Amino acid sequence: MIHMTTMQYAFSILLVFSISMASCSMIPSLGGPQIGLNYGQYSSNLEDSPVIGINYGRYGSNLPQPEAIPSLVNSLSIKHVKTFDLDPRITKSFANTGITLSLCIPNDKIPSLATNLSEAESIIRNFILPYHKNTIITTISIGNEVSLLPQFSSHLVSAMVNVHKAIKRYRLHKKIKVSTTHSLAILSRRFPPSTAIFHQSIGDSVLKPLIRFLQRTNSPLMVNVYPYLAYKQSFPSIPLDFALFQPMNSPKRRRYIDPYTGVAYTNLFDIMLDSVDSAVKSLGLPKIPVVVSEIGWPSSGDPGETAANLENARVFNQRLVEHLRRRWNKVPVYIFALFDEDQKTGAAVEKHWGLLYGNGSRKYDLNFSPSI
């Protein structure tokens, strides 16, 4: 997770004046050309459950052993886990559990993987082949949020290609997809969402060939989406309830209307996702399936971060789950994170994103099961 500067997160002044108080019935018809319409529309069929997973990070001093993690994940009614490494002990612990696993190759391996196919084959041979028959491995991320780091980004696509070749050699390419996670800092313009574009420094040189690779291999674009960070860095431009998925039954719901498409939004999450869609379109590429590889809300932070509290974290994550059930487009998400991680460096808020305390006890109750 990367914190961005205030300028990178700031809304355009248009948002300040375009968010208005309105009942749901007052949201205008969204006819005509629209970008990312699926993110703003709901399905009346709630039988298809959304894919909701959890990020499992381990920068904590008192975390449970890997062998205890599957039962904790099951206790939350979660069936999808994303990790930040290739630790065989973790991979083995999820054997025969029915829980899917998304793995990650560390950033420092990227340059050598880009030029050395044999190293990619060695990683697959040592970290995937012994476990894939019993553990459901779905994705391998090549690094984490490296698109804007020149020492890695110039090698990224070649590394992804070689890892895919190695997987294909063992005939696992239809089962295990290769991708990489991106911070939303890859967008140089985000608002209005229909005008979003990628940074010029990486748009054509890195992201265009990367997305073409993903489309060619039927792999998802993985993005980390943090409404909390956008809210915090743009305060007071973004109302807190807009970032927290304001209630569906509220008599006065805030809305933001994209002035170029007429699409109405009632939460920040959908705006951020549509921005990604628009940026992909700006490269002349077709729409690609997106996986939200990280999303969440902190339960504590530095003095003055009043929105980072236990109740807001509970409200955001519960309303996120409910919002995903209503969406026409069932975008998969991985909540950040399973545990608080007290050994993380940087701002205090970095340590407090977990659904669970470091000892495995719940911070608050969440209902991940379908509503009745």
Side-chain angles (χ1 to χ4, degrees):
M1 178 174 57
I2 295 179
H3 282 268
M4 301 304 150
T5 66
T6 300
M7 287 301 295
Q8 287 173 316
Y9 265 117
F11 264 117
S12 75
I13 196 68
L14 178 65
L15 179 62
V16 180
F17 294 106
S18 296
I19 292 182
S20 59
M21 302 300 290
S23 68
C24 293
S25 62
M26 291 174 64
I27 294 179
S29 170
L30 303 182
Q34 298 174 31
I35 294 178
L37 173 62
N38 285 342
Y39 291 141
Q41 296 293 291
Y42 300 111
S43 168
S44 60
N45 179 8
L46 303 181
E47 294 179 358
D48 295 331
S49 297
V51 172
I52 301 174
I54 194 79
N55 280 276
Y56 170 34
R58 296 190 290 164
Y59 285 98
S61 59
N62 59 342
L63 301 184
Q65 295 300 306
E67 292 77 12
I69 302 305
S71 62
L72 286 172
V73 172
N74 265 323
S75 73
L76 294 169
S77 299
I78 291 175
K79 296 297 181 184
H80 311 278
V81 170
K82 176 175 160 287
T83 70
F84 295 90
D85 53 36
L86 294 169
D87 190 336
R89 191 176 170 191
I90 294 175
T91 307
K92 188 177 180 180
S93 73
F94 283 95
N96 304 310
T97 62
I99 297 172
T100 72
L101 204 58
S102 177
L103 303 176
C104 182
I105 295 176
N107 296 350
D108 59 8
K109 298 289 186 183
I110 292 174
S112 58
L113 284 172
T115 58
N116 193 342
L117 177 59
S118 63
E119 181 169 347
E121 291 174 342
S122 176
I123 286 176
I124 301 305
R125 187 166 55 250
N126 293 319
F127 294 98
I128 303 300
L129 288 186
Y131 310 105
H132 77 93
K133 291 183 179 179
N134 296 317
T135 299
I136 308 171
I137 302 170
T138 59
T139 315
I140 299 176
S141 174
I142 312 304
N144 182 48
E145 294 188 335
V146 299
S147 310
L148 287 168
L149 303 178
Q151 67 270 36
F152 300 123
S153 61
S154 60
H155 305 286
L156 183 56
V157 177
S158 296
M160 294 171 68
V161 168
N162 277 343
V163 172
H164 175 72
K165 286 180 179 178
I167 291 174
K168 192 171 183 178
R169 175 182 176 180
Y170 295 104
R171 299 181 180 179
L172 297 175
H173 57 291
K174 293 184 178 180
K175 174 183 177 183
I176 302 174
K177 299 301 179 179
V178 175
S179 190
T180 187
T181 59
H182 304 273
S183 157
L184 280 196
I186 59 176
L187 298 177
S188 63
R189 183 170 67 227
R190 307 180 190 187
F191 305 102
S194 62
T195 68
I197 56 174
F198 295 118
H199 278 285
Q200 186 176 3
S201 61
I202 60 170
D204 287 326
S205 61
V206 177
L207 295 176
K208 193 167 188 176
L210 189 153
I211 293 170
R212 281 176 169 166
F213 165 81
L214 296 176
Q215 291 171 332
R216 186 171 67 251
T217 59
N218 295 315
S219 303
L221 178 64
M222 302 177 75
V223 294
N224 298 340
V225 178
Y226 282 101
Y228 172 77
L229 297 182
Y231 163 79
K232 174 187 171 183
Q233 298 295 343
S234 299
F235 182 83
S237 299
I238 305 175
L240 180 59
D241 60 352
F242 194 78
L244 288 173
F245 296 102
Q246 53 194 327
M248 285 287 290
N249 58 358
S250 173
K252 295 183 178 181
R253 301 187 74 205
R254 300 179 189 271
R255 62 177 181 175
Y256 168 72
I257 300 177
D258 188 310
Y260 299 102
T261 63
V263 174
Y265 297 90
T266 59
N267 66 83
L268 185 54
F269 172 74
D270 287 341
I271 290 178
M272 297 171 84
L273 279 184
D274 273 9
S275 296
V276 175
D277 270 357
S278 297
V280 171
K281 184 178 180 180
S282 75
L283 294 178
L285 299 175
K287 186 172 179 177
I288 184 170
V290 170
V291 168
V292 177
S293 39
E294 293 181 23
I295 186 170
W297 196 280
S299 60
S300 185
D302 286 306
E305 289 190 83
T306 56
N309 61 60
L310 202 63
E311 177 60 11
N312 282 347
R314 183 196 68 79
V315 167
F316 177 85
N317 285 316
Q318 187 63 65
R319 289 180 181 171
L320 169 65
V321 172
E322 294 165 359
H323 180 70
L324 293 171
R325 291 183 188 137
R326 293 190 295 266
R327 289 170 56 89
W328 188 276
N329 184 338
K330 303 294 187 183
V331 59
V333 307
Y334 288 86
I335 292 174
F336 190 88
L338 183 58
F339 297 111
D340 276 356
E341 297 173 82
D342 62 354
Q343 293 181 332
K344 279 199 166 183
T345 58
V349 74
E350 293 284 347
K351 308 175 191 290
H352 303 288
W353 294 77
L355 301 185
L356 308 177
Y357 292 108
N359 61 10
S361 62
R362 293 195 188 193
K363 291 165 120 182
Y364 45 80
D365 289 329
L366 285 179
N367 178 19
F368 287 98
S369 59
S371 56
I372 299 175

mmCIF file of all heavy atoms in Angstrom, residues 172-190:
data_model
loop_
_atom_site.group_PDB
_atom_site.id
_atom_site.type_symbol
_atom_site.label_atom_id
_atom_site.label_comp_id
_atom_site.label_asym_id
_atom_site.label_seq_id
_atom_site.Cartn_x
_atom_site.Cartn_y
_atom_site.Cartn_z
ATOM 1 N N LEU A 172 -0.129 -25.272 -16.786
ATOM 2 C CA LEU A 172 -0.941 -24.720 -15.706
ATOM 3 C C LEU A 172 -1.489 -23.331 -16.043
ATOM 4 O O LEU A 172 -2.107 -22.685 -15.203
ATOM 5 C CB LEU A 172 -0.105 -24.623 -14.412
ATOM 6 C CG LEU A 172 0.397 -25.940 -13.822
ATOM 7 C CD1 LEU A 172 1.298 -25.671 -12.628
ATOM 8 C CD2 LEU A 172 -0.778 -26.819 -13.412
ATOM 9 N N HIS A 173 -1.277 -22.880 -17.289
ATOM 10 C CA HIS A 173 -1.614 -21.504 -17.656
ATOM 11 C C HIS A 173 -3.112 -21.223 -17.681
ATOM 12 O O HIS A 173 -3.527 -20.069 -17.588
ATOM 13 C CB HIS A 173 -1.001 -21.153 -19.018
ATOM 14 C CG HIS A 173 -1.417 -22.057 -20.127
ATOM 15 N ND1 HIS A 173 -1.017 -23.379 -20.209
ATOM 16 C CD2 HIS A 173 -2.215 -21.843 -21.212
ATOM 17 C CE1 HIS A 173 -1.535 -23.932 -21.295
ATOM 18 N NE2 HIS A 173 -2.272 -23.019 -21.924
ATOM 19 N N LYS A 174 -3.927 -22.255 -17.822
ATOM 20 C CA LYS A 174 -5.370 -22.031 -17.790
ATOM 21 C C LYS A 174 -5.903 -21.990 -16.353
ATOM 22 O O LYS A 174 -7.000 -21.479 -16.112
ATOM 23 C CB LYS A 174 -6.090 -23.126 -18.579
ATOM 24 C CG LYS A 174 -5.806 -23.066 -20.079
ATOM 25 C CD LYS A 174 -6.613 -24.113 -20.840
ATOM 26 C CE LYS A 174 -6.354 -24.023 -22.336
ATOM 27 N NZ LYS A 174 -7.122 -25.040 -23.108
ATOM 28 N N LYS A 175 -5.119 -22.497 -15.438
ATOM 29 C CA LYS A 175 -5.511 -22.556 -14.033
ATOM 30 C C LYS A 175 -4.923 -21.389 -13.228
ATOM 31 O O LYS A 175 -5.581 -20.843 -12.337
ATOM 32 C CB LYS A 175 -5.045 -23.885 -13.434
ATOM 33 C CG LYS A 175 -5.259 -24.043 -11.948
ATOM 34 C CD LYS A 175 -4.701 -25.373 -11.459
ATOM 35 C CE LYS A 175 -4.837 -25.530 -9.952
ATOM 36 N NZ LYS A 175 -4.228 -26.790 -9.455
ATOM 37 N N ILE A 176 -3.690 -21.014 -13.541
ATOM 38 C CA ILE A 176 -2.973 -19.993 -12.780
ATOM 39 C C ILE A 176 -2.648 -18.825 -13.697
ATOM 40 O O ILE A 176 -1.958 -18.985 -14.709
ATOM 41 C CB ILE A 176 -1.679 -20.561 -12.163
ATOM 42 C CG1 ILE A 176 -1.992 -21.756 -11.252
ATOM 43 C CG2 ILE A 176 -0.940 -19.472 -11.379
ATOM 44 C CD1 ILE A 176 -0.756 -22.470 -10.724
ATOM 45 N N LYS A 177 -3.138 -17.644 -13.357
ATOM 46 C CA LYS A 177 -2.933 -16.454 -14.171
ATOM 47 C C LYS A 177 -1.801 -15.606 -13.612
ATOM 48 O O LYS A 177 -1.563 -15.564 -12.393
ATOM 49 C CB LYS A 177 -4.218 -15.626 -14.243
ATOM 50 C CG LYS A 177 -5.392 -16.376 -14.877
ATOM 51 C CD LYS A 177 -5.072 -16.824 -16.298
ATOM 52 C CE LYS A 177 -6.200 -17.583 -16.941
ATOM 53 N NZ LYS A 177 -5.877 -17.998 -18.328
ATOM 54 N N VAL A 178 -1.120 -14.891 -14.505
ATOM 55 C CA VAL A 178 -0.019 -14.012 -14.132
ATOM 56 C C VAL A 178 -0.470 -12.567 -14.273
ATOM 57 O O VAL A 178 -1.001 -12.168 -15.314
ATOM 58 C CB VAL A 178 1.216 -14.265 -15.020
ATOM 59 C CG1 VAL A 178 2.321 -13.253 -14.713
ATOM 60 C CG2 VAL A 178 1.727 -15.688 -14.819
ATOM 61 N N SER A 179 -0.268 -11.772 -13.228
ATOM 62 C CA SER A 179 -0.628 -10.358 -13.269
ATOM 63 C C SER A 179 0.339 -9.604 -12.370
ATOM 64 O O SER A 179 1.396 -10.122 -11.980
ATOM 65 C CB SER A 179 -2.083 -10.155 -12.827
ATOM 66 O OG SER A 179 -2.508 -8.829 -13.082
ATOM 67 N N THR A 180 -0.001 -8.365 -12.041
ATOM 68 C CA THR A 180 0.765 -7.568 -11.079
ATOM 69 C C THR A 180 -0.168 -6.522 -10.501
ATOM 70 O O THR A 180 -1.127 -6.093 -11.164
ATOM 71 C CB THR A 180 1.992 -6.903 -11.734
ATOM 72 O OG1 THR A 180 2.794 -6.284 -10.728
ATOM 73 C CG2 THR A 180 1.581 -5.871 -12.770
ATOM 74 N N THR A 181 0.070 -6.113 -9.273
ATOM 75 C CA THR A 181 -0.821 -5.152 -8.617
ATOM 76 C C THR A 181 -0.335 -3.725 -8.849
ATOM 77 O O THR A 181 0.865 -3.455 -8.926
ATOM 78 C CB THR A 181 -0.903 -5.417 -7.105
ATOM 79 O OG1 THR A 181 0.405 -5.316 -6.535
ATOM 80 C CG2 THR A 181 -1.467 -6.800 -6.841
ATOM 81 N N HIS A 182 -1.289 -2.807 -8.940
ATOM 82 C CA HIS A 182 -0.983 -1.398 -9.211
ATOM 83 C C HIS A 182 -1.629 -0.508 -8.164
ATOM 84 O O HIS A 182 -2.793 -0.698 -7.802
ATOM 85 C CB HIS A 182 -1.527 -0.973 -10.575
ATOM 86 C CG HIS A 182 -1.057 -1.810 -11.718
ATOM 87 N ND1 HIS A 182 0.113 -1.569 -12.388
ATOM 88 C CD2 HIS A 182 -1.609 -2.908 -12.298
ATOM 89 C CE1 HIS A 182 0.268 -2.471 -13.346
ATOM 90 N NE2 HIS A 182 -0.763 -3.294 -13.317
ATOM 91 N N SER A 183 -0.894 0.481 -7.710
ATOM 92 C CA SER A 183 -1.483 1.587 -6.970
ATOM 93 C C SER A 183 -2.229 2.489 -7.943
ATOM 94 O O SER A 183 -1.875 2.575 -9.121
ATOM 95 C CB SER A 183 -0.376 2.373 -6.269
ATOM 96 O OG SER A 183 -0.769 3.694 -5.995
ATOM 97 N N LEU A 184 -3.264 3.197 -7.460
ATOM 98 C CA LEU A 184 -3.963 4.133 -8.322
ATOM 99 C C LEU A 184 -3.134 5.383 -8.618
ATOM 100 O O LEU A 184 -3.576 6.267 -9.359
ATOM 101 C CB LEU A 184 -5.318 4.522 -7.732
ATOM 102 C CG LEU A 184 -6.447 3.521 -7.944
ATOM 103 C CD1 LEU A 184 -7.792 4.175 -7.665
ATOM 104 C CD2 LEU A 184 -6.448 2.948 -9.350
ATOM 105 N N ALA A 185 -1.909 5.436 -8.092
ATOM 106 C CA ALA A 185 -0.995 6.510 -8.482
ATOM 107 C C ALA A 185 -0.599 6.401 -9.945
ATOM 108 O O ALA A 185 -0.012 7.327 -10.503
ATOM 109 C CB ALA A 185 0.253 6.489 -7.607
ATOM 110 N N ILE A 186 -0.915 5.289 -10.589
ATOM 111 C CA ILE A 186 -0.636 5.165 -12.028
ATOM 112 C C ILE A 186 -1.495 6.125 -12.844
ATOM 113 O O ILE A 186 -1.212 6.375 -14.004
ATOM 114 C CB ILE A 186 -0.848 3.717 -12.528
ATOM 115 C CG1 ILE A 186 -2.283 3.247 -12.289
ATOM 116 C CG2 ILE A 186 0.159 2.781 -11.885
ATOM 117 C CD1 ILE A 186 -2.584 1.855 -12.839
ATOM 118 N N LEU A 187 -2.551 6.664 -12.226
ATOM 119 C CA LEU A 187 -3.419 7.623 -12.915
ATOM 120 C C LEU A 187 -2.902 9.037 -12.668
ATOM 121 O O LEU A 187 -2.737 9.451 -11.521
ATOM 122 C CB LEU A 187 -4.857 7.511 -12.417
ATOM 123 C CG LEU A 187 -5.563 6.175 -12.629
ATOM 124 C CD1 LEU A 187 -6.960 6.219 -12.004
ATOM 125 C CD2 LEU A 187 -5.663 5.823 -14.105
ATOM 126 N N SER A 188 -2.674 9.788 -13.741
ATOM 127 C CA SER A 188 -2.268 11.183 -13.592
ATOM 128 C C SER A 188 -3.486 12.099 -13.490
ATOM 129 O O SER A 188 -3.407 13.183 -12.929
ATOM 130 C CB SER A 188 -1.394 11.625 -14.768
ATOM 131 O OG SER A 188 -2.109 11.557 -15.990
ATOM 132 N N ARG A 189 -4.604 11.675 -14.046
ATOM 133 C CA ARG A 189 -5.874 12.398 -13.905
ATOM 134 C C ARG A 189 -6.959 11.377 -13.598
ATOM 135 O O ARG A 189 -7.079 10.365 -14.270
ATOM 136 C CB ARG A 189 -6.217 13.171 -15.188
ATOM 137 C CG ARG A 189 -7.487 13.996 -15.045
ATOM 138 C CD ARG A 189 -7.702 14.946 -16.214
ATOM 139 N NE ARG A 189 -7.973 14.229 -17.456
ATOM 140 C CZ ARG A 189 -7.389 14.501 -18.615
ATOM 141 N NH1 ARG A 189 -6.452 15.443 -18.677
ATOM 142 N NH2 ARG A 189 -7.702 13.833 -19.709
ATOM 143 N N ARG A 190 -7.767 11.664 -12.564
ATOM 144 C CA ARG A 190 -8.769 10.701 -12.103
ATOM 145 C C ARG A 190 -10.191 11.226 -12.177
ATOM 146 O O ARG A 190 -11.131 10.448 -12.192
ATOM 147 C CB ARG A 190 -8.478 10.301 -10.656
ATOM 148 C CG ARG A 190 -7.059 9.823 -10.460
ATOM 149 C CD ARG A 190 -6.818 9.433 -9.026
ATOM 150 N NE ARG A 190 -5.397 9.196 -8.801
ATOM 151 C CZ ARG A 190 -4.893 8.713 -7.672
ATOM 152 N NH1 ARG A 190 -5.691 8.432 -6.678
ATOM 153 N NH2 ARG A 190 -3.603 8.529 -7.553
#
